Amino acid sequence: RKHLKLDFKDMNAVAPCLQYLAAHTVAIKDNCQTVWLNADVLPGPGHLKSTNIPKDSFIFQCTKLFPEGVLSLGWKVDAQCGE
């Protein structure tokens, strides 16, 4: 059995993907699959600017459109930090 993890980088992709998942909820449940909904929603070390995914909008859309998903929230890190 394989689970699903969607790693969102663009807010415009969130709603269409969640709507697709919602339309396939029965199959996902029948396969006993867990769906992880991941996005970097907070600025982290070395990344002081806001992220591409606003946390409030992401959480709202996930809980409204596909409440069966498991939220996986992260922070955006500057890869150059510390070098």
Side-chain angles (χ1 to χ4, degrees), residues 8 10-12 14-15 18 37 39 41 51-66 71 73:
F8 293 100
D10 186 329
M11 196 64 200
N12 293 324
V14 175
L18 297 176
L37 306 171
V41 298
T51 63
N52 292 343
I53 307 287
K55 66 182 177 302
D56 294 334
S57 297
F58 181 72
I59 293 169
F60 176 78
Q61 286 196 29
C62 289
T63 56
K64 179 181 176 191
L65 298 174
F66 191 68
L71 290 176
L73 306 175

Side-chain angles (χ1 to χ4, degrees), residues 45-46 77-83:
V77 178
D78 185 350
Q80 304 279 329
C81 185
E83 290 184 9

Side-chain angles (χ1 to χ4, degrees), residues 24-68:
H24 294 86
T25 299
V26 172
I28 292 167
K29 286 184 179 182
D30 287 348
N31 289 333
C32 298
Q33 292 177 289
T34 301
V35 179
W36 294 87
L37 306 171
N38 176 262
D40 292 339
V41 298
L42 297 170
H47 192 85
L48 302 176
K49 297 183 279 181
S50 62
T51 63
N52 292 343
I53 307 287
K55 66 182 177 302
D56 294 334
S57 297
F58 181 72
I59 293 169
F60 176 78
Q61 286 196 29
C62 289
T63 56
K64 179 181 176 191
L65 298 174
F66 191 68
E68 296 85 356

